[in-house]
mmCIF file of all heavy atoms in Angstrom:
data_model
loop_
_atom_site.group_PDB
_atom_site.id
_atom_site.type_symbol
_atom_site.label_atom_id
_atom_site.label_comp_id
_atom_site.label_asym_id
_atom_site.label_seq_id
_atom_site.Cartn_x
_atom_site.Cartn_y
_atom_site.Cartn_z
ATOM 1 N N TYR Y 998 16.979 -99.644 -14.212
ATOM 2 C CA TYR Y 998 18.183 -99.932 -14.995
ATOM 3 C C TYR Y 998 17.851 -100.680 -16.285
ATOM 4 O O TYR Y 998 18.444 -100.423 -17.341
ATOM 5 C CB TYR Y 998 19.173 -100.734 -14.156
ATOM 6 C CG TYR Y 998 19.913 -99.904 -13.140
ATOM 7 C CD1 TYR Y 998 19.887 -100.218 -11.793
ATOM 8 C CD2 TYR Y 998 20.644 -98.783 -13.532
ATOM 9 C CE1 TYR Y 998 20.557 -99.447 -10.858
ATOM 10 C CE2 TYR Y 998 21.328 -98.008 -12.608
ATOM 11 C CZ TYR Y 998 21.276 -98.335 -11.270
ATOM 12 O OH TYR Y 998 21.950 -97.568 -10.350
ATOM 13 N N LEU Y 999 16.910 -101.600 -16.213
ATOM 14 C CA LEU Y 999 16.524 -102.339 -17.420
ATOM 15 C C LEU Y 999 15.861 -101.400 -18.432
ATOM 16 O O LEU Y 999 16.077 -101.536 -19.647
ATOM 17 C CB LEU Y 999 15.590 -103.489 -17.053
ATOM 18 C CG LEU Y 999 16.250 -104.684 -16.350
ATOM 19 C CD1 LEU Y 999 15.186 -105.661 -15.856
ATOM 20 C CD2 LEU Y 999 17.234 -105.400 -17.279
ATOM 21 N N ASN Y 1000 15.039 -100.470 -17.954
ATOM 22 C CA ASN Y 1000 14.416 -99.506 -18.863
ATOM 23 C C ASN Y 1000 15.469 -98.622 -19.537
ATOM 24 O O ASN Y 1000 15.368 -98.302 -20.727
ATOM 25 C CB ASN Y 1000 13.420 -98.634 -18.109
ATOM 26 C CG ASN Y 1000 12.112 -99.352 -17.831
ATOM 27 O OD1 ASN Y 1000 11.782 -100.333 -18.492
ATOM 28 N ND2 ASN Y 1000 11.372 -98.885 -16.842
ATOM 29 N N ILE Y 1001 16.484 -98.213 -18.776
ATOM 30 C CA ILE Y 1001 17.567 -97.406 -19.358
ATOM 31 C C ILE Y 1001 18.296 -98.207 -20.430
ATOM 32 O O ILE Y 1001 18.564 -97.706 -21.536
ATOM 33 C CB ILE Y 1001 18.545 -96.957 -18.259
ATOM 34 C CG1 ILE Y 1001 17.851 -95.956 -17.315
ATOM 35 C CG2 ILE Y 1001 19.799 -96.332 -18.874
ATOM 36 C CD1 ILE Y 1001 18.652 -95.640 -16.073
ATOM 37 N N LEU Y 1002 18.602 -99.458 -20.110
ATOM 38 C CA LEU Y 1002 19.315 -100.308 -21.072
ATOM 39 C C LEU Y 1002 18.476 -100.533 -22.329
ATOM 40 O O LEU Y 1002 18.967 -100.417 -23.462
ATOM 41 C CB LEU Y 1002 19.657 -101.651 -20.418
ATOM 42 C CG LEU Y 1002 20.364 -102.682 -21.302
ATOM 43 C CD1 LEU Y 1002 21.687 -102.139 -21.818
ATOM 44 C CD2 LEU Y 1002 20.587 -103.977 -20.527
ATOM 45 N N GLY Y 1003 17.178 -100.827 -22.123
ATOM 46 C CA GLY Y 1003 16.302 -101.058 -23.274
ATOM 47 C C GLY Y 1003 16.142 -99.817 -24.128
ATOM 48 O O GLY Y 1003 16.116 -99.894 -25.368
ATOM 49 N N GLY Y 1004 16.045 -98.631 -23.478
ATOM 50 C CA GLY Y 1004 15.914 -97.389 -24.225
ATOM 51 C C GLY Y 1004 17.156 -97.064 -25.032
ATOM 52 O O GLY Y 1004 17.068 -96.643 -26.202
ATOM 53 N N LEU Y 1005 18.331 -97.255 -24.452
ATOM 54 C CA LEU Y 1005 19.582 -97.002 -25.172
ATOM 55 C C LEU Y 1005 19.732 -97.953 -26.355
ATOM 56 O O LEU Y 1005 20.169 -97.551 -27.453
ATOM 57 C CB LEU Y 1005 20.774 -97.145 -24.223
ATOM 58 C CG LEU Y 1005 20.933 -96.049 -23.164
ATOM 59 C CD1 LEU Y 1005 22.054 -96.405 -22.193
ATOM 60 C CD2 LEU Y 1005 21.231 -94.708 -23.834
ATOM 61 N N LEU Y 1006 19.350 -99.205 -26.151
ATOM 62 C CA LEU Y 1006 19.446 -100.192 -27.232
ATOM 63 C C LEU Y 1006 18.530 -99.802 -28.396
ATOM 64 O O LEU Y 1006 18.914 -99.886 -29.578
ATOM 65 C CB LEU Y 1006 19.078 -101.579 -26.692
ATOM 66 C CG LEU Y 1006 19.199 -102.762 -27.661
ATOM 67 C CD1 LEU Y 1006 20.648 -102.934 -28.102
ATOM 68 C CD2 LEU Y 1006 18.696 -104.039 -27.002
ATOM 69 N N ALA Y 1007 17.309 -99.368 -28.049
ATOM 70 C CA ALA Y 1007 16.365 -98.970 -29.102
ATOM 71 C C ALA Y 1007 16.874 -97.764 -29.880
ATOM 72 O O ALA Y 1007 16.755 -97.697 -31.111
ATOM 73 C CB ALA Y 1007 15.000 -98.669 -28.476
ATOM 74 N N LEU Y 1008 17.458 -96.783 -29.161
ATOM 75 C CA LEU Y 1008 17.998 -95.602 -29.837
ATOM 76 C C LEU Y 1008 19.160 -95.959 -30.764
ATOM 77 O O LEU Y 1008 19.280 -95.419 -31.873
ATOM 78 C CB LEU Y 1008 18.472 -94.574 -28.805
ATOM 79 C CG LEU Y 1008 17.374 -93.746 -28.115
ATOM 80 C CD1 LEU Y 1008 17.985 -92.872 -27.026
ATOM 81 C CD2 LEU Y 1008 16.630 -92.887 -29.134
ATOM 82 N N MET Y 1009 20.010 -96.873 -30.327
ATOM 83 C CA MET Y 1009 21.159 -97.259 -31.130
ATOM 84 C C MET Y 1009 20.752 -97.944 -32.433
ATOM 85 O O MET Y 1009 21.427 -97.822 -33.460
ATOM 86 C CB MET Y 1009 22.079 -98.189 -30.329
ATOM 87 C CG MET Y 1009 22.799 -97.505 -29.172
ATOM 88 S SD MET Y 1009 23.874 -98.638 -28.274
ATOM 89 C CE MET Y 1009 25.190 -98.873 -29.497
ATOM 90 N N LEU Y 1010 19.609 -98.636 -32.403
ATOM 91 C CA LEU Y 1010 19.175 -99.378 -33.584
ATOM 92 C C LEU Y 1010 18.105 -98.635 -34.382
ATOM 93 O O LEU Y 1010 17.603 -99.152 -35.389
ATOM 94 C CB LEU Y 1010 18.650 -100.762 -33.165
ATOM 95 C CG LEU Y 1010 19.691 -101.689 -32.515
ATOM 96 C CD1 LEU Y 1010 19.054 -103.009 -32.107
ATOM 97 C CD2 LEU Y 1010 20.862 -101.930 -33.468
ATOM 98 N N GLU Y 1011 17.779 -97.424 -33.945
ATOM 99 C CA GLU Y 1011 16.772 -96.649 -34.664
ATOM 100 C C GLU Y 1011 17.365 -96.113 -35.973
ATOM 101 O O GLU Y 1011 18.501 -95.645 -36.018
ATOM 102 C CB GLU Y 1011 16.313 -95.490 -33.784
ATOM 103 C CG GLU Y 1011 15.157 -94.698 -34.369
ATOM 104 C CD GLU Y 1011 14.702 -93.596 -33.423
ATOM 105 O OE1 GLU Y 1011 15.522 -92.698 -33.131
ATOM 106 O OE2 GLU Y 1011 13.557 -93.650 -32.968
ATOM 107 N N ALA Y 1012 16.581 -96.189 -37.042
ATOM 108 C CA ALA Y 1012 17.057 -95.756 -38.358
ATOM 109 C C ALA Y 1012 17.079 -94.232 -38.442
ATOM 110 O O ALA Y 1012 16.162 -93.552 -37.982
ATOM 111 C CB ALA Y 1012 16.170 -96.324 -39.454
ATOM 112 N N GLY Y 1013 18.160 -93.698 -39.043
ATOM 113 C CA GLY Y 1013 18.290 -92.268 -39.247
ATOM 114 C C GLY Y 1013 17.699 -91.843 -40.576
ATOM 115 O O GLY Y 1013 17.091 -92.648 -41.303
ATOM 116 N N PRO Y 1014 17.869 -90.570 -40.963
ATOM 117 C CA PRO Y 1014 17.298 -90.041 -42.209
ATOM 118 C C PRO Y 1014 17.770 -90.775 -43.470
ATOM 119 O O PRO Y 1014 17.030 -90.872 -44.443
ATOM 120 C CB PRO Y 1014 17.763 -88.578 -42.216
ATOM 121 C CG PRO Y 1014 18.058 -88.272 -40.787
ATOM 122 C CD PRO Y 1014 18.556 -89.535 -40.193
ATOM 123 N N LEU Y 1015 18.997 -91.297 -43.450
ATOM 124 C CA LEU Y 1015 19.545 -91.962 -44.630
ATOM 125 C C LEU Y 1015 19.335 -93.471 -44.618
ATOM 126 O O LEU Y 1015 19.872 -94.185 -45.444
ATOM 127 C CB LEU Y 1015 21.047 -91.653 -44.753
ATOM 128 C CG LEU Y 1015 21.405 -90.161 -44.862
ATOM 129 C CD1 LEU Y 1015 22.911 -89.989 -44.917
ATOM 130 C CD2 LEU Y 1015 20.741 -89.558 -46.100
ATOM 131 N N GLY Y 1016 18.529 -93.932 -43.668
ATOM 132 C CA GLY Y 1016 18.237 -95.356 -43.605
ATOM 133 C C GLY Y 1016 19.210 -96.156 -42.777
ATOM 134 O O GLY Y 1016 18.969 -97.333 -42.506
ATOM 135 N N LYS Y 1017 20.310 -95.556 -42.384
ATOM 136 C CA LYS Y 1017 21.283 -96.229 -41.530
ATOM 137 C C LYS Y 1017 20.904 -96.028 -40.061
ATOM 138 O O LYS Y 1017 20.257 -95.037 -39.710
ATOM 139 C CB LYS Y 1017 22.681 -95.658 -41.764
ATOM 140 C CG LYS Y 1017 23.240 -95.909 -43.164
ATOM 141 C CD LYS Y 1017 23.685 -97.357 -43.295
ATOM 142 C CE LYS Y 1017 24.409 -97.585 -44.628
ATOM 143 N NZ LYS Y 1017 24.880 -98.987 -44.763
ATOM 144 N N THR Y 1018 21.327 -96.940 -39.210
ATOM 145 C CA THR Y 1018 21.079 -96.755 -37.777
ATOM 146 C C THR Y 1018 21.913 -95.591 -37.253
ATOM 147 O O THR Y 1018 22.990 -95.296 -37.779
ATOM 148 C CB THR Y 1018 21.439 -98.032 -36.983
ATOM 149 O OG1 THR Y 1018 22.825 -98.312 -37.161
ATOM 150 C CG2 THR Y 1018 20.613 -99.214 -37.455
ATOM 151 N N ARG Y 1019 21.423 -94.930 -36.232
ATOM 152 C CA ARG Y 1019 22.102 -93.773 -35.675
ATOM 153 C C ARG Y 1019 23.481 -94.135 -35.098
ATOM 154 O O ARG Y 1019 24.387 -93.326 -35.070
ATOM 155 C CB ARG Y 1019 21.244 -93.143 -34.578
ATOM 156 C CG ARG Y 1019 19.910 -92.603 -35.092
ATOM 157 C CD ARG Y 1019 19.119 -91.958 -33.968
ATOM 158 N NE ARG Y 1019 17.809 -91.523 -34.419
ATOM 159 C CZ ARG Y 1019 17.566 -90.364 -35.024
ATOM 160 N NH1 ARG Y 1019 18.568 -89.539 -35.268
ATOM 161 N NH2 ARG Y 1019 16.343 -90.041 -35.397
ATOM 162 N N SER Y 1020 23.603 -95.375 -34.603
ATOM 163 C CA SER Y 1020 24.852 -95.780 -33.967
ATOM 164 C C SER Y 1020 25.874 -96.323 -34.958
ATOM 165 O O SER Y 1020 27.055 -96.426 -34.636
ATOM 166 C CB SER Y 1020 24.568 -96.857 -32.919
ATOM 167 O OG SER Y 1020 24.058 -98.033 -33.545
ATOM 168 N N GLY Y 1021 25.415 -96.711 -36.137
ATOM 169 C CA GLY Y 1021 26.316 -97.340 -37.093
ATOM 170 C C GLY Y 1021 26.339 -98.852 -36.989
ATOM 171 O O GLY Y 1021 26.925 -99.538 -37.844
ATOM 172 N N TYR Y 1022 25.703 -99.394 -35.935
ATOM 173 C CA TYR Y 1022 25.597 -100.850 -35.798
ATOM 174 C C TYR Y 1022 24.323 -101.317 -36.490
ATOM 175 O O TYR Y 1022 23.243 -100.754 -36.269
ATOM 176 C CB TYR Y 1022 25.567 -101.255 -34.320
ATOM 177 C CG TYR Y 1022 26.878 -101.028 -33.598
ATOM 178 C CD1 TYR Y 1022 27.048 -99.908 -32.769
ATOM 179 C CD2 TYR Y 1022 27.932 -101.916 -33.739
ATOM 180 C CE1 TYR Y 1022 28.247 -99.693 -32.110
ATOM 181 C CE2 TYR Y 1022 29.135 -101.707 -33.080
ATOM 182 C CZ TYR Y 1022 29.285 -100.594 -32.271
ATOM 183 O OH TYR Y 1022 30.477 -100.387 -31.626
ATOM 184 N N ASP Y 1023 24.450 -102.353 -37.303
ATOM 185 C CA ASP Y 1023 23.298 -102.804 -38.098
ATOM 186 C C ASP Y 1023 22.237 -103.484 -37.253
ATOM 187 O O ASP Y 1023 21.040 -103.377 -37.548
ATOM 188 C CB ASP Y 1023 23.769 -103.746 -39.202
ATOM 189 C CG ASP Y 1023 24.638 -103.031 -40.231
ATOM 190 O OD1 ASP Y 1023 24.457 -101.799 -40.388
ATOM 191 O OD2 ASP Y 1023 25.491 -103.684 -40.856
ATOM 192 N N ASP Y 1024 22.643 -104.227 -36.231
ATOM 193 C CA ASP Y 1024 21.672 -104.958 -35.414
ATOM 194 C C ASP Y 1024 22.253 -105.226 -34.027
ATOM 195 O O ASP Y 1024 23.380 -104.829 -33.714
ATOM 196 C CB ASP Y 1024 21.274 -106.276 -36.093
ATOM 197 C CG ASP Y 1024 22.480 -107.109 -36.523
ATOM 198 O OD1 ASP Y 1024 23.544 -106.992 -35.859
ATOM 199 O OD2 ASP Y 1024 22.375 -107.859 -37.504
ATOM 200 N N GLN Y 1025 21.468 -105.930 -33.203
ATOM 201 C CA GLN Y 1025 21.885 -106.215 -31.835
ATOM 202 C C GLN Y 1025 23.144 -107.077 -31.806
ATOM 203 O O GLN Y 1025 24.022 -106.874 -30.963
ATOM 204 C CB GLN Y 1025 20.742 -106.922 -31.081
ATOM 205 C CG GLN Y 1025 21.091 -107.311 -29.645
ATOM 206 C CD GLN Y 1025 19.929 -107.937 -28.918
ATOM 207 O OE1 GLN Y 1025 18.886 -107.302 -28.723
ATOM 208 N NE2 GLN Y 1025 20.079 -109.190 -28.528
#
């Protein structure tokens, strides 16, 4: 469960092609 949570968090904060995060949230 912790690995799932950590992986989702990393994906949400990963930068997309335009420099923005994929989720739209700037940080944690």
Side-chain angles (χ1 to χ4, degrees):
Y998 284 124
L999 287 172
N1000 283 340
I1001 292 170
L1002 178 60
L1005 289 173
L1006 183 63
L1008 283 174
M1009 291 180 71
L1010 297 178
E1011 186 178 62
L1015 301 178
K1017 295 285 187 179
T1018 61
R1019 297 181 184 276
S1020 64
Y1022 291 101
D1023 294 333
D1024 51 29
Q1025 178 177 298

